[in-house]
């Protein structure tokens, strides 16, 4: 691999450094140090320094070298003498090098003026370099700030040192000669300045107590999620426990198996390995073996249907999967079991003799682990989709051909291999970025006690320590896929065609999906009070149950259905069963077409009355139009003895509340597609703001070993969240309160907002920017749900699309003029709120 070779510019790093000559008259030097903290983000604190030095050119032999190019070896040596001469040896893993700006040096009247500015980001524990300063951030302790003046500047008498905490608190600053508000200033010559800064409360990684709560919270999320899958799948497994299992029983067994595996992995990776010490070798062994076991247990070689078309090709597919997974695991296990073959120690650390071979072995270990885990995710996702019939039944056009399935499996494995290689590449590039920052004065070899290749090997050796847990966190999407697959089979096996919405276990599945995909979108704003993530699941589920309970009573179709049941004197048995008469009527093609025809006529009559009111038609026809509208108000399901529409409800309202599809599951899929489409831009905005909004965000993202892959994954999870919200909106479309789609979307949004308000009420000291980001996410979710609901309303009258050149005109026909203007104004208000919140948190 290209990064295993040591860069040419790093080879000569030690030869460029020379001795630093003393300044003959240091009392003529003007020296000013300034360190500034800026707490403008919830994930890190920015710390900046400015070093200003005025040196008479005749008093120091290297003064004129400061005016040379920054790429000049003489310039770098002179800057090294002025910033951190004779720096102590550091550990690269705990050392965070600074980002430096282009320094300026000018010469006027035989005085060389140097202005050097740099910055760093403190977000976790370690030692942070900022010019001649260091900041030691340790868990549960104040930050230790220290100035390290080089020997050549020790005798400077005209020296000023200033520390500006920028909103943080200084707990101790011995020797400070003055204090202006919160600042500390040292002016008298003396020892280097030191101070203590109180750790910000929102940086939980810098607290052992908060870190423990975070680990417990993550574990509670996985355990609650696994319990939720098991609870949802148990009735289907119990119902189909005989020898001849149905598709629902097969899927229930698969879901129960994954629930057990997920809970076991959570306890092992997220809790035991984090709280108790374990070597990288053991962690790597657990990561490789668990990844291989997950791939084989998912059985991705199974055909798309239960009936096999070619047993020989199916066996070939099985052998291919088994060989590929075993080969990937064997590569990783070879590095773990026989590290000496790759020049590694027993702790998987590279030796000085063969650094290139060690880097290659560690890269193979990381790639094999990532490939196994990503393949396991793809295999289990495919297994849930297969057993849950999410892709539909394969047709006779060759989709179920075993040979074609083998090609799909091979293509997926090759694509995942490319992704795994990119993850390793991003890890190496993040090291390159940090190394270049640390070695900009060509002193990294002496600073870390090793060369470029040796430090790179040590960084790659750290992946087994966090890689398994990092890979496991990506399996959260499988919980949502499993629940959606169970809901799909349950809805088709039950009475989905003759019910207004999900009931019983179907409603439990919808509530579970609602909680899983939406619970953690804004949990971070509440600080440590929200770290018990598992509690968000029952809170969101209870809020949705309350919404459905109110919706069945106050929704349009609920009111119509109750009135229909009261007039069923002849069918009291059906009424006692709780069956929906409206659903029974509209689930038939004839009943559905009759309703849609009446709804279209109603809209036409309302439009004619609107023209008469504005003087565009003869007013003599008004009585006739009103009579025709009155006749349409006499809509009733079959066998009803009297009208079933309450006074404020029209047939248009009934049609809009019924939705574009006959089954509520189809409505759910339709809404999920639109929500995913409308969520692309909000997802990009959110991910961009959280990871690449300004120089600091993007620099920190690139500095993380898995920064870029996490950005991609964050976008995918945002899309899944929007699609899941749309799925729940479509599934509950007929039982949500409101006559128009945006009102129903608003009611679902309020149900999501209730748990957030409950947690916020018990949280103290919420950060303003965290709250602003949470509000931005909330408004974006409302916008996506609103637009999805408006498009659902237009899909309800999709048969009329040929008569309307644009969807907006059809929407105007459905809502009428005043209704459309109100909905557009509501949407504009949401956009304005999002922009306002954006400006507040972006400029704050």
């Amino acid at each position: 691999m290209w990064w295993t070779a040591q860069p040419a510019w790093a080879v000569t790093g030690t030869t460029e450094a020379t001795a630093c000559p003393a300044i003959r008259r240091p009392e003529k030097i003007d020296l000013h140090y300034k360190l500034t903290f800026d707490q403008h983000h919830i994930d890190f604190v920015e710390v900046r320094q400015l070093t200003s030095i005025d040196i008479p050119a005749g008093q120091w032999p290297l003064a004129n070298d400061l005016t040379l190019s920054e790429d000049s070896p003489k310039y770098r040596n002179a800057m090294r003498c002025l910033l951190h001469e004779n720096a102590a040896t550091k550990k690269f893993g705990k050392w965070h090098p600074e980002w430096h700006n282009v320094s300026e040096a000018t010469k006027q009247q035989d005085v060389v003026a140097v202005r050097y500015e740099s910055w760093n980001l403190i977000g976790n524990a370690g030692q942070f370099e900022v010019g001649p300063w260091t900041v030691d951030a340790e868990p549960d302790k104040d930050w230790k700030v220290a100035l390290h003046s080089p020997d050549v500047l020790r005798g400077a008498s005209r020296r000023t040192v200033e520390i500006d905490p920028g909103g943080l608190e200084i707990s101790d600053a011995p020797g400070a000669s003055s204090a202006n508000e919160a600042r500390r200033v040292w002016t008298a010559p003396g020892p280097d300045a030191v101070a203590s800064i109180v750790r910000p409360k929102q940086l939980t990684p810098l607290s052992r107590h908060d870190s423990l709560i975070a680990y417990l919270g993550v574990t509670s999320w996985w355990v609650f999620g696994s319990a939720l899958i098991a609870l949802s799948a148990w009735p289907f497994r119990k119902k189909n426990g005989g020898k001849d299992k149905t598709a629902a029983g097969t899927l229930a067994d698969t879901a129960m198996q994954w629930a057990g595996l997920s809970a076991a992995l959570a306890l092992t990776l997220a809790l035991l390995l984090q709280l108790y010490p374990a070597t990288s070798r053991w962690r790597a062994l657990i990561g490789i073996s668990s990844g291989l076991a997950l791939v084989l247990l998912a059985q991705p070689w199974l055909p798309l249907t239960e009936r096999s078309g070619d047993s020989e090709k199916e066996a070939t597919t099985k052998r291919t999967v088994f060989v590929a997974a075993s080969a990937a695991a064997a590569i990783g296990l070879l590095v773990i079991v026989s590290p000496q073959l790759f020049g590694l120690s027993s702790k998987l650390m590279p030796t000085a003799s063969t650094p290139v071979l060690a880097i290659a072995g560690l890269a193979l270990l990381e790639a094999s682990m990532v490939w196994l885990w990503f393949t396991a995710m793809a295999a289990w996702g495919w297994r849930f989709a297969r057993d849950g019939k999410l892709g539909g039944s394969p047709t006779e056009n060759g989709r179920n051909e075993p040979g074609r399935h083998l090609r799909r499996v091979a293509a997926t494995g090759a694509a995942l291999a490319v992704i795994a290689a990119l993850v390793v590449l991003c890890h190496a590039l993040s090291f390159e970025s940090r190394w270049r920052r640390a070695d900009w004065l060509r002193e990294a070899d002496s600073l870390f006690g090793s060369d470029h290749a040796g430090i790179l090997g040590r960084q790659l050796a750290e992946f087994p320590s966090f890689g398994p847990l990092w890979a496991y966190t990506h399996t959260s999407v499988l919980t949502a896929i499993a629940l959606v697959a169970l809901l799909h089979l349950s809805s088709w096996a039950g009475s989905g065609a003759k019910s207004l919405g999900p009931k019983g276990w179907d409603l439990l599945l919808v509530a579970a999906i609602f909680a899983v995909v939406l619970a953690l979108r804004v949990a971070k704003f509440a600080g440590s009070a929200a770290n018990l993530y598992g509690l968000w699941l029952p809170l969101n589920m209870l809020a949705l149950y309350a919404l459905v309970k109110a919706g069945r009573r106050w929704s349009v179709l609920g009111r119509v259905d109750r009135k229909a049941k009261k007039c069923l004197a002849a069918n009291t048995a059906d009424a006692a069963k709780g069956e929906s008469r409206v659903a029974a009527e509209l689930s038939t093609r004839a009943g559905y077409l009759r309703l849609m025809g009446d709804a279209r006529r109603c809209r036409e009559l309302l439009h004619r009355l609107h023209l008469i009111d504005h003087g565009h038609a003869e007013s003599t026809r008004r009585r006739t139009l009103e009579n025709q509208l009155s006749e349409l108000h006499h809509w009733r399901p079959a066998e009803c003895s009297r009208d079933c529409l309450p006074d404020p409800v029209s047939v248009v309202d009934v049609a809009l509340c019924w939705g574009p599809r006959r089954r509520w599951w189809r409505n759910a899929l339709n809404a999920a597609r639109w929500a995913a489409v409308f969520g692309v831009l909000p997802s990009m905005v959110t991910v961009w703001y959280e990871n690449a909004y300004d120089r600091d965000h993007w620099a920190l993202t690139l500095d993380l070993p898995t920064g870029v892959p996490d950005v991609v994954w964050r976008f995918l999870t945002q899309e899944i969240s929007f699609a899941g919200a749309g799925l729940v909106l479509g599934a509950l479309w007929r039982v949500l309160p409101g006559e128009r789609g945006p009102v129903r979307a608003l009611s679902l949004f309020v149900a999501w907002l209730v748990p957030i308000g409950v947690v916020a009420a018990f949280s103290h000291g919420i950060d303003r920017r965290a709250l602003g980001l949470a509000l931005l996410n909330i408004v974006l979710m409302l916008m996506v749900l609103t637009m999805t609901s408006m498009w659902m309303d237009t899909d309800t009258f999709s048969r009329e699309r040929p008569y309307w050149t644009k969807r907006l005109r059809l929407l105007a026909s459905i809502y009428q003029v005043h209704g459309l203007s109100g909905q557009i104004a509501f949407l504009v208000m949401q956009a304005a709120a999002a922009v306002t919140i954006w400006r507040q948190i972006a400029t704050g």
Side-chain angles (χ1 to χ4, degrees), residues 500 552-567 580-583 586 595 633 635-637 640 642-651 653-655 657:
L500 294 180
R552 293 193 186 278
R553 180 172 182 82
W554 299 107
S555 65
V556 171
L557 294 185
R559 288 149 55 197
V560 173
D561 198 54
R562 284 199 309 274
K563 194 171 183 179
K565 289 180 180 179
K566 290 180 181 179
C567 69
S580 171
R581 301 308 307 169
V582 175
L586 299 182
L595 172 68
H633 195 70
W635 181 85
R636 68 191 67 174
C640 285
R642 62 176 184 269
D643 302 339
C644 297
L645 296 184
D647 290 338
V649 177
S650 67
V651 288
D653 299 330
V654 175
C657 292

Side-chain angles (χ1 to χ4, degrees), residues 424-445:
V424 180
L425 179 61
C426 290
H427 189 181
L429 290 178
S430 69
F431 162 79
E432 292 293 337
S433 174
R434 179 176 292 193
W435 177 268
R436 288 178 182 272
R437 301 201 315 270
D439 199 44
W440 80 279
L441 294 179
R442 304 299 184 261
E443 58 179 355
D445 291 355

Side-chain angles (χ1 to χ4, degrees), residues 202-283:
Q202 83 277 9
L203 294 182
T204 54
L206 296 179
S207 170
R208 290 190 179 94
H209 177 264
D210 291 337
S211 297
L212 176 61
I213 293 179
Y215 285 129
L216 293 175
V218 171
T219 306
S220 70
W221 167 259
W222 297 113
V223 172
F224 271 66
S226 299
L228 195 57
I229 294 177
L231 178 63
S232 303
W234 180 255
F236 304 103
R237 186 175 184 270
K238 187 176 181 181
K239 187 187 304 182
N240 301 276
K243 295 183 178 180
D244 299 330
K245 288 189 176 182
T246 62
T250 302
L251 176 60
D253 289 342
T254 304
M256 293 287 289
Q257 187 180 20
W258 170 251
L261 289 172
S262 179
L265 287 172
L267 294 175
T268 302
L269 299 177
L271 189 60
L272 296 180
L273 290 184
Q274 297 300 326
L275 298 181
Y276 296 96
T279 63
S280 296
R281 197 172 182 181
W282 274 106
R283 293 176 185 269

Side-chain angles (χ1 to χ4, degrees), residues 549-611:
K549 182 69 174 178
R552 293 193 186 278
R553 180 172 182 82
W554 299 107
S555 65
V556 171
L557 294 185
R559 288 149 55 197
V560 173
D561 198 54
R562 284 199 309 274
K563 194 171 183 179
K565 289 180 180 179
K566 290 180 181 179
C567 69
L568 288 177
N571 291 333
T572 55
D574 291 342
K577 293 178 181 179
E579 296 181 354
S580 171
R581 301 308 307 169
V582 175
E585 170 75 13
L586 299 182
S587 60
T588 63
R589 180 176 178 81
Y592 177 75
L593 292 179
R594 181 169 72 91
L595 172 68
M596 297 307 296
D598 291 346
R600 183 181 179 185
R601 285 185 56 206
C602 181
R603 287 170 34 231
E604 291 176 352
L605 294 174
L606 289 174
H607 180 66
R608 293 179 184 177
L609 286 176
H610 176 75
L611 294 178

Side-chain angles (χ1 to χ4, degrees), residues 690-727:
E690 292 181 350
N691 300 277
Y693 168 63
D694 54 15
R695 178 185 62 179
D696 294 351
H697 290 75
W698 185 237
L700 187 61
T701 298
L702 295 179
D703 194 54
L704 298 175
T706 58
V708 175
D710 288 339
V711 170
V712 178
W713 182 251
R714 176 65 173 165
F715 173 79
L716 293 177
T717 53
Q718 290 277 0
E719 276 294 282
I720 293 172
S721 179
F722 286 125
L727 184 78

Side-chain angles (χ1 to χ4, degrees), residues 150-167:
D151 294 339
V152 298
L153 298 176
R154 289 289 182 181
S157 58
R158 291 182 290 184
R159 186 186 75 161
T160 303
V161 180
E162 181 182 356
I163 296 180
D164 182 1

Side-chain angles (χ1 to χ4, degrees), residues 331-378:
I331 293 174
L333 291 175
L334 181 63
V335 179
I336 298 172
V337 176
S338 302
Q340 65 277 3
L341 297 178
F342 297 90
L344 298 170
S345 66
S346 59
K347 295 183 179 180
L348 297 182
M349 298 301 290
T351 59
S353 58
T354 56
V356 175
L357 183 60
I359 291 173
L362 292 170
L364 288 175
L365 173 60
E366 181 174 343
S368 63
M369 186 184 300
V370 172
W371 186 85
L372 283 172
W373 275 90
F374 282 7
T375 301
M377 287 181 55

Side-chain angles (χ1 to χ4, degrees), residues 646-810:
D647 290 338
V649 177
S650 67
V651 288
V652 177
D653 299 330
V654 175
L656 290 175
C657 292
W658 180 254
R661 303 291 186 266
R662 282 197 234 169
R663 302 179 72 100
W664 58 260
W665 169 254
R666 292 295 187 186
N667 280 337
L669 288 183
N670 190 56
R673 295 189 190 101
W674 283 120
V677 172
F678 292 128
V680 171
L681 184 58
S683 298
M684 294 175 63
V685 169
T686 304
V687 172
W688 175 70
Y689 175 76
E690 292 181 350
N691 300 277
Y693 168 63
D694 54 15
R695 178 185 62 179
D696 294 351
H697 290 75
W698 185 237
L700 187 61
T701 298
L702 295 179
D703 194 54
L704 298 175
T706 58
V708 175
D710 288 339
V711 170
V712 178
W713 182 251
R714 176 65 173 165
F715 173 79
L716 293 177
T717 53
Q718 290 277 0
E719 276 294 282
I720 293 172
S721 179
F722 286 125
L727 184 78
V728 175
L729 175 65
L732 302 178
W733 187 257
R734 299 168 184 171
V735 296
L736 292 176
E739 298 178 355
R740 298 292 184 266
V743 180
R744 287 190 286 275
L746 180 62
S747 62
L748 181 64
F749 169 77
V750 170
W752 176 55
L753 205 59
V754 168
I756 299 173
V758 171
V759 175
F762 291 95
S763 300
H764 302 286
I766 299 177
D767 182 75
R768 184 181 64 84
R769 294 182 61 84
L771 181 60
L773 183 59
L775 290 176
L776 178 63
N777 278 278
I778 289 171
V779 174
L780 291 177
M781 176 60 72
L782 179 58
M783 289 184 64
V784 171
L785 290 178
T786 301
M787 297 181 69
T788 301
S789 64
M790 294 173 70
W791 252 241
M792 283 279 288
D793 284 343
T794 58
D795 285 343
T796 301
F797 293 92
S798 58
R799 294 176 178 270
E800 301 180 23
R801 285 295 302 277
Y803 306 107
W804 303 92
T805 57
K806 294 183 179 180
R807 187 182 288 264
L808 186 60
R809 293 186 178 181
L810 176 59

